[in-house]
Amino acid sequence: MARRHVVAVDIGGTETKAALVTGTSEVVAAQKHARRATPAELEPLLAVIAELVDELRQASEHEIDAVGIVAPGIVDEANGVGVYTTNLPWSQFPFSTVLTERLGVPVTFGHDVRAAGLAECRMGAAKGLRNAVVLPIGTGIAGALLLDGKIFSGDGYAGEIGHVNVGHGVPCACGQIGCVETVASSAAIARRYTARTGTPVNGAAEVARRVKDGEQDAVAVWHEAVDALARGILVLATLLGPEAVVLGGGLALAGDLLVEPLRDRLDGLIAFQRRPELRLAALGDEAGFLGAALLAIDMLEAS
Amino acid sequence: MARRHVVAVDIGGTETKAALVTGTSEVVAAQKHARRATPAELEPLLAVIAELVDELRQASEHEIDAVGIVAPGIVDEANGVGVYTTNLPWSQFPFSTVLTERLGVPVTFGHDVRAAGLAECRMGAAKGLRNAVVLPIGTGIAGALLLDGKIFSGDGYAGEIGHVNVGHGVPCACGQIGCVETVASSAAIARRYTARTGTPVNGAAEVARRVKDGEQDAVAVWHEAVDALARGILVLATLLGPEAVVLGGGLALAGDLLVEPLRDRLDGLIAFQRRPELRLAALGDEAGFLGAALLAIDMLEAS
């Protein structure tokens, strides 16, 4: 298999991060990193992407073969189109076509969560499985669905497990109620702890520390998050029967503090469904980059 | 494409039905039918299958190329194994291997709901779509998931949308609560109408007639069923983003009486998800046979 050299770009709500990535379609590694604030408008964002790519291209000892870009929202991977996002400056924008011309190398455009899931499946915690869900838990919650060995995108609409109603009744910004992520995302855990106690915290990690200290309010908020997550995972088990669910994102840094009560709660809920193994993600923050790079390498291999 | 002649067998909870089916991997038609009561033990069931196949073989003008069998429960299609059922007499039984030897022709063994879904996708209401869910609503509710043009089985565990908790709080025989099928299956609609009124009815079709007549209790039971179904379909839209949901089984015979309020309720619930078109199944009772025959023809084409 050919070794490829690509630039991977991960467009986030606040920051756009890039890395120089080298490897094959089976395993890649990131070397040099660069980042910028994500501009609030499209043309400045395209300029920032071009700058990041140029910077890393110059830093590379090798010719760059391709660029892989990933972003949140509804993404049409087949056509490299950013269809829709809630807080980023595009709608139906053909990233692949526009940036391939602008950068002078082949550019692929994919979905951040599905790309990170692809990386976990090829070289991380889901390696070797054919049916799994990779579930990053951060500001929001969405899943990458590995079905019969391929990441399923549902034309860009698949995997929104964070917006399944699990019955807790709390309204979500999406307009629905009871959404998993309204009580179980990292952001929700921090927000709900502060709402309950009046004490500001530095993210879900601080709530996790307070749970370890046995603080009652923290334990209650954590327990509600675990219950909602377990109910969401049960829905995945009922509809898709994954062999494993891989927990990623910021919340997975809590490790056993998350996995153990989640396993207990799932055991209490599950009936005839195949019981998914709960695993922690292996690639951490890098999964998005590595997945973007794998998408770029897959594109090169296919052409 | 070669025209094939196969016997299709659909093992049901009370009856085992068979038909002579002719066609290609794109379109098939059933000609002669036969049926027997489903025996309560495995060896008599195998004997009944052999009898049905022999009877139809003798009635056929053509040599039989293969046999396609479908059944409910957890089915491992790849290996032709009946893994588990709640009320039929097998567990981990290798139907394909045993019956191929016994019948002297290649035998494939698949899942009834997924096979019926396959038929609707190849030649029925979901023809031409790449992402859809075929949802037969009868004694229970399970879905056949068409994902990127293929029926997804999840190693036999996929599609159990009838057992997703949609919050109505009614206990289900499966051990969970709030399951879609506890209030929305044909059986549930009849049972709940009788429980509410004390009046026995001849299935959900009679409840449907009473809904048309504007009878309040019937309308209330129907409304609860529609609400649970709409919530189940919303979960499918959130996780899989199907282009269409095809409603089948006995309840779909209610036609617009089902589809129109279901569409309204779904419109009221849906947020950012892709809105699936609601369609009625095209193949009716024959879908199971036709799907079993398609599985048999696919096996022949692959070998």
Side-chain angles (χ1 to χ4, degrees), chain A residues 83-108:
Chain A
V83 176
Y84 167 82
T85 75
T86 44
N87 57 2
L88 284 163
W90 65 77
S91 168
Q92 295 289 353
F93 187 75
F95 280 93
S96 294
T97 307
V98 169
L99 287 171
T100 294
E101 182 161 351
R102 186 148 167 177
L103 301 176
V105 289
V107 175
T108 186

Side-chain angles (χ1 to χ4, degrees), chain A residues 30-276:
Chain A
Q31 299 157 52
K32 295 194 170 69
H33 298 76
R35 53 178 65 199
R36 299 273 193 292
T38 301
E41 288 175 36
L42 181 59
E43 184 45 46
L45 171 63
L46 297 176
V48 155
I49 292 170
E51 276 173 44
L52 287 165
V53 171
D54 281 346
E55 180 182 330
L56 289 163
R57 224 172 184 173
Q58 282 163 27
S60 173
E61 292 164 27
H62 303 273
E63 188 93 3
I64 293 302
D65 300 308
V67 172
I69 302 176
V70 296
I74 305 295
V75 171
D76 172 358
E77 280 115 346
N79 299 300
V81 172
V83 176
Y84 167 82
T85 75
T86 44
N87 57 2
L88 284 163
W90 65 77
S91 168
Q92 295 289 353
F93 187 75
F95 280 93
S96 294
T97 307
V98 169
L99 287 171
T100 294
E101 182 161 351
R102 186 148 167 177
L103 301 176
V105 289
V107 175
T108 186
F109 184 75
H111 186 253
D112 54 359
V113 168
R114 286 193 288 277
L118 177 70
E120 290 289 349
C121 292
R122 290 259 179 95
M123 53 184 284
K127 190 176 168 185
L129 300 182
R130 286 189 51 80
N131 288 298
V133 177
V134 180
L135 206 61
I137 306 169
T139 313
I141 301 176
L145 311 179
L146 179 78
L147 307 178
D148 285 343
K150 289 181 67 175
I151 300 288
F152 175 70
S153 83
D155 302 323
Y157 292 91
E160 297 288 350
I161 184 66
H163 294 285
V164 165
N165 183 349
V166 289
H168 54 63
V170 179
C172 180
C174 79
Q176 301 180 94
I177 64 163
C179 293
V180 172
E181 73 174 46
T182 322
V183 309
S185 73
S186 298
I189 289 171
R191 186 179 64 236
R192 286 165 61 78
Y193 176 84
T194 298
R196 187 181 177 109
T197 60
T199 309
V201 284
N202 189 10
E206 188 175 334
V207 181
R209 276 192 298 277
R210 289 166 187 252
V211 172
K212 276 188 198 142
D213 293 345
E215 192 196 304
Q216 252 187 357
D217 287 314
V219 168
V221 167
W222 197 259
H223 174 83
E224 287 166 358
V226 163
D227 184 70
L229 263 184
R231 290 177 185 276
I233 291 169
L234 182 67
V235 171
L236 293 169
T238 306
L239 289 186
L240 301 172
E243 299 161 80
V245 172
V246 174
L247 305 163
L251 200 65
L253 300 176
D256 284 347
L257 191 72
L258 175 66
V259 175
E260 287 180 3
L262 190 55
R263 192 178 286 133
D264 286 350
R265 190 70 195 100
L266 189 59
D267 282 351
L269 291 167
I270 210 161
F272 61 89
Q273 297 91 341
R274 172 153 72 170
R275 191 174 302 246

Side-chain angles (χ1 to χ4, degrees), chain B residues 1 58 95 127 170 197 235:
Chain B
M1 238 171 310
Q58 282 163 27
F95 279 93
K127 190 177 167 185
V170 179
T197 60
V235 172

Side-chain angles (χ1 to χ4, degrees), chain B residues 135-137 229 233 245-249 252 258-259 262 278-281:
Chain B
L135 206 61
I137 306 169
L229 262 183
I233 291 169
V245 172
V246 174
L247 305 162
L258 175 66
V259 175
L262 190 55
L278 299 183
R279 300 183 182 182
L280 290 167

Side-chain angles (χ1 to χ4, degrees), chain A residues 10-26:
Chain A
D10 186 349
I11 305 174
T14 54
E15 265 197 332
T16 295
K17 298 179 285 185
L20 208 53
V21 182
T22 298
T24 68
S25 60
E26 285 184 0

Side-chain angles (χ1 to χ4, degrees), chain B residues 151-172:
Chain B
I151 300 287
F152 175 71
S153 82
D155 303 323
Y157 292 90
E160 297 288 349
I161 183 66
H163 293 285
V164 164
N165 183 348
V166 288
H168 54 63
V170 179
C172 179

Side-chain angles (χ1 to χ4, degrees), chain B residues 15-256:
Chain B
E15 265 197 330
T16 295
K17 298 179 285 186
L20 208 53
V21 183
T22 298
T24 68
S25 60
E26 285 184 1
V27 59
V28 289
Q31 300 156 54
K32 296 195 170 67
H33 297 76
R35 52 177 67 198
R36 299 272 194 292
T38 302
E41 287 176 37
L42 181 60
E43 185 46 46
L45 171 62
L46 297 176
V48 155
I49 292 170
E51 275 173 43
L52 287 165
V53 171
D54 281 346
E55 181 181 329
L56 288 163
R57 225 172 184 173
Q58 282 163 27
S60 173
E61 294 164 25
H62 302 274
E63 187 93 2
I64 293 300
D65 300 309
V67 173
I69 303 176
V70 296
I74 306 293
V75 171
D76 172 359
E77 280 115 345
N79 299 301
V81 172
V83 176
Y84 167 81
T85 76
T86 43
N87 56 2
L88 284 162
W90 65 77
S91 167
Q92 295 290 353
F93 187 76
F95 279 93
S96 294
T97 307
V98 168
L99 286 171
T100 294
E101 182 163 349
R102 186 148 168 177
L103 301 176
V105 289
V107 174
T108 186
F109 184 76
H111 185 254
D112 54 359
V113 168
R114 285 193 289 276
L118 178 69
E120 290 288 348
C121 292
R122 290 259 179 96
M123 54 184 284
K127 190 177 167 185
L129 300 182
R130 287 188 52 77
N131 288 298
V133 177
V134 181
L135 206 61
I137 306 169
T139 313
I141 301 176
L145 312 179
L146 178 78
L147 306 178
D148 285 343
K150 290 182 67 175
I151 300 287
F152 175 71
S153 82
D155 303 323
Y157 292 90
E160 297 288 349
I161 183 66
H163 293 285
V164 164
N165 183 348
V166 288
H168 54 63
V170 179
C172 179
C174 80
Q176 301 179 93
I177 64 162
C179 292
V180 172
E181 73 174 46
T182 323
V183 309
S185 73
S186 299
I189 288 171
R191 185 180 65 236
R192 285 165 61 79
Y193 176 84
T194 298
R196 187 180 176 108
T197 60
T199 310
V201 284
N202 189 11
E206 188 175 334
V207 181
R209 276 192 299 277
R210 290 167 185 251
V211 172
K212 276 189 198 141
D213 293 344
E215 192 197 302
Q216 251 187 356
D217 287 314
V219 168
V221 166
W222 197 260
H223 175 83
E224 287 166 359
V226 164
D227 183 70
L229 262 183
R231 290 176 185 276
I233 291 169
L234 183 67
V235 172
L236 292 169
T238 307
L239 289 186
L240 301 172
E243 298 161 81
V245 172
V246 174
L247 305 162
L251 199 65
L253 300 176
D256 283 348

